[in-house]
Amino acid sequence: MLILVRLILCKNRNFSEKEQKSVFKLLIVNFLYLLSITSVFAQGSIPEDLSKSLPDSVKQEALNATQAILDTTDVQALIDTTNTEPVNEALDSIAEPPAQQGDISTTIQYSARDSIKTEIGTQQVFLYGDAQIEYGDIRLEADQIEINYRTNTLKATYSVDSTGKKRGVPVFSDGPETYETNKIEYNFKTRKAYITGIVTQQGEAFMTGDTVKKNQDDELFIKTARYTTCNLADPHFHIQSNKLKVIPGNKLVSGPFNLHFNKIPTILGFPFGMFPSPKKKTSGVIFPSYGEQRTRGFFLQDFGYYFAVNDYVNLRLTGEVFTKGGWGFTANSNYVKRYAYNGNVNFRYSSFRSGNEEDSLATRTFWVSWSHTPQSRGNSRFSASVNGGSTQFNSLNLLNDVQQQVNSNFTSNVSYSVNFPGTPFNLSTSLRHNQNLVTEEVDLTLPDLSLNMNRIFPFKPKSGSGNKWWQKIGVNYNLNLSNRISNRIGADSIAPFNFDNLPDLLDQASNGIRHTTQASTSIKLLKNFTVTPNFSYTETWYLERLNRTLNNEGEIEVDTLDRFSRFGTWTTGAALTTQIYGTAYFKSGPISAIRHVMTPSISYSYRPDFSDPRFDFFQEFQIEEGQDPQRFSRYSPGNQFIFGGPSSGESQTINFNLQNNIEAKIRKKTDSTDVEEKIKIFDNLSIGTGYNFVADSFNLGNINIGARTTLFKNALNISVNSTIDPYIYLLDSVFIDENGTRQVDQQRVSEFAWNNGRGLGQFTSVRVTLGLNLQGKSSGGADARSNDEIRNGLNENQQREFDYVLANPNDYVDFNVPWTFRANYSVNRSQIGFQDPTISQSLTFSGDVSLTEKLKIGIQSGFDIENGEFTQTSINVSRNLHCWEMNLQWVPFGALESYSFSIFVKSSVLQDLRFNRRRAFADFR
């Protein structure tokens, strides 16, 4: 720098000696100041303001002198004629001065595509063409940017091309907040900004405004603001307000506003408003929906409060009230732990009044549902699927889920399992629930505990293959403890399942413990045959047993003895199996080859007669003289024996089974070559029966035949199962009962049908099931990733929506699939001897079709073939309105005739901006 100054003074001979000394003195005083500016202009960045350490008078005098030198000196000519290498060396050797406190607290990095203009005197930098600035967390992109170092401000705007189109509209980012503007002025010192024509996004919402002021707390004060969740340049709707304050990550506060559709104002508005815009879940009020039901009057529904407990748990409490009496509330909670589990708990309670003066008593009902889905990690696993409640809940309450409304049987299961590392043992326990709303029968199994030992090989050597048969002996063990509570009293009586009857139901609960151990091995015979001997022992423990006595009147009296009781049973046997392969090749025609795999098996099992007196599991009584004694089990009949009792009668049975798998290869011609496609003719074609050597009659068991196949690339599933009785029936008489039904008096005879000219026997039951599943090709393509992989790639808001879709698949409409159709038809025919055959048929179908890209109509129904009428039918219409969605659910006929219509904004930010109209089935009566 000193060399440059001396060269300037020598070059300009017009300076007097006094003037040269004055200028030289000022330049030395401002050495660091000018060095910081000129060196950084060459590098494209401005460091901290070093001029703070100098007096204002000195700074101004130095600037005036510097400007005078620059105005009177041909600097470029001086540089061109002077060797600048020493200057560069001097600049490179000077260390960067220490940072001092100033208005600009960090380095400003800038760049531009077209040009960069600097004015040292005014301390300004002008950037043109794709200009960019980075200053800490601040980033600015625009076509034109002006930096004023003296006033600590920057300005940015766009330019207009020859067609009148805006080019380089300023985009300003301050941390996570991004603003698209027409013009912006920003002060580095105060962090305030004045913005013209702003477009910014706050969470799921988009905002525009004519003029905006931004303070140091990043709060925005917008004039003529427009707020919407539609991401189009011309949104379908927006909320317009003359004044709007935005608190980033918190809320928006508005003055008087009204709703606009397609830029058309409406009368819908309020004098003020507050819209949440949190970056995390926040608590808030849930606004109600309203309507009218004929039986219950006017109502307010779904009003309450949402509690954002934390990022992992929430709670939604809502209520409902009716003018003709009745009220209710719902508690719903979602919870999630990433990489561990997620779930949902819902409890609904209602006090129902029909509105009639005679109906003075309220009917109280409740419903509980709980879903807990874990990820399979670690040594333990807990899962839950609970669905149950009052038997009258579905009939008295209007539900959004039509399937729950028409379903009569509900099951629940809560289970926990744990593996013990380093051991073959694992433990599982569960709670099971089964409820029928028609019969009002409830079965509750609590608990059901199972301790299992995986198969171990006690004789297998520690090293080597262990191919000897005794080395292949495997043993497993299972302990099962179960306790079942049921409200079925006797064969035909059902007691109410409530808290009043709970002590009696617990007293009548059935429970017990069962131990089961099995041992088996495999032996190879003649290379292609496998023999599998097996032995099984079962030990059952109860806390009761029955004791029968014969009184003086010749009647049997039954007493229940409250004491520990046990019995053990065992079976043994062996199985022989092999596989036979056969392939037929065809030189011409569409079929290239047919492959047939047969798997025949023969098994033998033996079970002793546990009704023998030596076991003491049965009691024997001579009831009438001249007749054979009768044996009665100590463990039946009786609901308290959950695992039943030992079997009576010896059994030596040999079972035959033949399974077949048939496949074909089909020739297909393409443009380049011939290819072969494998198709399945029969997935399984089986036939089996058994023969008991020690039975006194009916030694041959029923013949079971089954077949299963799929056609048209798994679009059609066909399953056939039938049972043939090989014995004949003799008809004694035929009569018509008091109900006008034909009845027969017949007896089964231990004679084979083929010996009496009746073929293989009688088909006592035949069941045919057809399943059809068709759909159009998806426009989006299949996603083979797992749910966890998909979820981990989403942000927090998207993860909440994804979890909701998984928990409520029926609420999700996939517009990527143009159409789907699913149908299931089954027919079952049964007949015993000369009785009239009984035929039952069922047909259910569902499907949907996209009439347009955004409009889908679906139907769920069935047909009662016997009565010739449709079963419960539901028609659904879904319309994707971009930022809005419309749903219509209509039950056109039946006991649950109703409809529900809703149109609402998709975004959860404006979830209360919706219109609902529902009419319950009771209103049609």
Side-chain angles (χ1 to χ4, degrees), residues 244-292:
L244 185 70
K245 178 180 179 180
V246 180
I247 305 176
N250 192 337
K251 65 175 71 71
L252 290 84
V253 182
S254 170
F257 68 91
N258 67 321
L259 187 64
H260 289 231
F261 286 102
N262 287 332
K263 299 182 179 180
I264 301 175
T266 68
I267 61 174
L268 301 176
F270 290 91
F272 66 91
M274 184 174 65
F275 307 95
S277 180
K279 295 182 180 179
K280 61 180 182 179
K281 300 178 182 178
T282 58
S283 303
V285 176
I286 301 173
F287 289 93
S289 60
Y290 60 90
E292 181 186 8

Side-chain angles (χ1 to χ4, degrees), residues 359-373:
D359 187 10
S360 58
L361 297 178
T363 303
R364 295 176 175 84
T365 63
F366 73 94
W367 197 265
V368 179
S369 61
W370 177 27
S371 175
H372 179 91
T373 305

Side-chain angles (χ1 to χ4, degrees), residues 375-657:
Q375 294 184 3
S376 298
R377 298 189 178 192
N379 298 317
S380 62
R381 176 183 175 88
F382 177 81
S383 63
S385 177
V386 176
N387 206 358
S390 302
T391 55
Q392 293 181 292
F393 182 86
N394 288 353
S395 60
L396 296 179
N397 294 275
L398 176 62
L399 307 177
N400 294 327
D401 189 353
V402 176
Q403 290 300 317
Q404 180 180 344
Q405 196 102 50
V406 300
N407 196 4
S408 61
N409 193 71
F410 293 91
T411 60
S412 304
N413 184 53
V414 180
S415 63
Y416 173 79
S417 61
V418 59
N419 296 320
F420 300 101
T423 71
F425 292 96
N426 62 82
L427 177 69
S428 64
T429 182
S430 64
L431 178 152
R432 293 196 302 273
H433 158 266
N434 184 55
Q435 180 178 7
N436 190 298
L437 300 184
V438 177
T439 63
E440 300 186 0
E441 183 176 357
V442 178
D443 284 331
L444 182 64
T445 304
L446 173 67
D448 188 85
L449 184 144
S450 181
L451 175 65
N452 302 287
M453 183 187 76
N454 297 329
R455 189 178 178 89
I456 62 173
F457 300 88
F459 304 108
K460 185 177 181 179
K462 294 182 179 180
S463 60
S465 59
N467 289 326
K468 303 297 183 181
W469 67 267
W470 64 86
Q471 295 173 339
K472 297 180 181 179
I473 295 177
V475 180
N476 59 15
Y477 168 78
N478 170 264
L479 180 148
N480 184 220
L481 182 151
S482 188
N483 180 71
R484 184 177 64 197
I485 304 170
S486 176
N487 64 341
R488 176 173 287 278
I489 309 299
D492 303 321
S493 178
I494 301 294
F497 196 93
N498 51 40
F499 290 102
D500 295 334
N501 290 335
L502 189 58
D504 295 333
L505 297 178
L506 291 175
D507 185 62
Q508 298 176 8
S510 57
N511 47 63
I513 300 176
R514 182 174 59 190
H515 309 262
T516 303
T517 182
Q518 295 178 337
S520 63
T521 186
S522 61
I523 304 172
K524 280 286 187 181
L525 291 179
L526 304 176
K527 294 183 179 180
N528 296 320
F529 295 89
T530 302
V531 179
T532 308
N534 61 82
F535 176 82
S536 176
Y537 178 79
T538 301
E539 173 96 2
T540 306
W541 294 352
Y542 290 124
L543 298 178
E544 297 175 335
R545 82 168 183 170
L546 303 179
N547 184 61
R548 291 177 173 84
T549 58
L550 192 63
N551 59 23
N552 297 330
E553 298 177 356
E555 296 177 349
I556 298 177
E557 295 181 351
V558 182
D559 293 330
T560 301
L561 304 180
D562 295 331
R563 68 178 191 181
F564 174 78
S565 178
R566 57 150 299 278
F567 66 87
T569 61
W570 57 270
T571 61
T572 186
L576 175 66
T577 184
T578 187
Q579 281 190 331
I580 303 173
Y581 299 87
T583 305
Y585 297 95
F586 304 91
K587 295 183 179 180
S588 61
I591 301 177
S592 172
I594 295 179
R595 184 172 183 261
H596 183 194
V597 180
M598 294 186 294
T599 307
S601 63
I602 302 175
S603 62
Y604 170 81
S605 64
Y606 170 76
R607 185 195 69 220
D609 182 8
F610 293 106
S611 65
D612 192 285
R614 61 190 175 94
F615 292 107
D616 195 26
F617 301 154
F618 285 74
Q619 290 179 286
E620 187 175 287
F621 295 95
Q622 181 74 40
I623 299 178
E624 294 183 8
E625 296 183 3
Q627 293 185 353
D628 295 334
Q630 295 186 21
R631 292 178 178 178
F632 301 90
S633 173
R634 292 185 179 273
Y635 304 96
S636 66
N639 294 330
Q640 66 268 42
F641 304 111
I642 189 171
F643 299 118
S647 302
S648 62
E650 182 183 5
S651 174
Q652 296 188 40
T653 304
I654 185 169
N655 295 298
F656 307 91
N657 187 269

